[in-house]
Amino acid sequence: MRRWAGHAEVRRGSGVMARIIGAIFGFPKAASQASVTVTLSPEEGAERWTRSFDNMVFSSVQSCGTGLSFETEESGEFCFDVEISAPFVGLIVAYKGTLKPE
């Protein structure tokens, strides 16, 4: 298990469906500077990413693939830019920021 900590800017979709979906999945609330922790745990050929944004927790299983998410490493920090949207709904949540290993 690995744990990372840092900060992120969080944007939320403003439509009714985007707000409902965001609430169902427990996505973080909009914030200009949210505290973030991410714990990575192995899970059947993939990893479970448990994320906490200002103590609002959600998790998902991640595996190699393609999509809108972007991550890289700069000066020893993990940099991420994630956008979750859906057809006919638009933006549900987007977050970008940096993490360092704890």
Side-chain angles (χ1 to χ4, degrees):
M1 181 166 53
R2 296 173 291 163
R3 183 176 160 100
W4 299 69
H7 293 89
E9 172 190 356
V10 180
R11 295 183 295 122
R12 287 288 297 262
S14 59
V16 173
M17 286 303 296
R19 291 194 312 264
I20 291 170
I21 293 167
I24 289 170
F25 285 96
F27 290 139
K29 297 178 188 230
S32 61
Q33 183 82 346
S35 295
V36 180
T37 60
V38 178
T39 303
L40 308 168
S41 307
E43 188 168 305
E44 298 183 29
E47 287 183 319
R48 175 161 298 277
W49 288 37
T50 303
R51 303 161 191 86
S52 174
F53 286 79
D54 288 337
N55 297 316
M56 183 144 220
V57 179
F58 68 101
S59 70
S60 61
V61 176
Q62 303 290 316
S63 58
C64 293
T66 61
L68 293 165
S69 299
F70 175 78
E71 58 188 50
T72 189
E73 184 268 330
E74 286 183 25
S75 302
E77 292 186 327
F78 177 79
C79 305
F80 58 91
D81 191 347
V82 176
E83 182 175 311
I84 300 171
S85 58
F88 308 109
V89 175
L91 176 68
I92 298 170
V93 66
Y95 47 91
K96 67 179 177 179
T98 58
L99 299 168
K100 291 183 180 181
E102 285 195 322

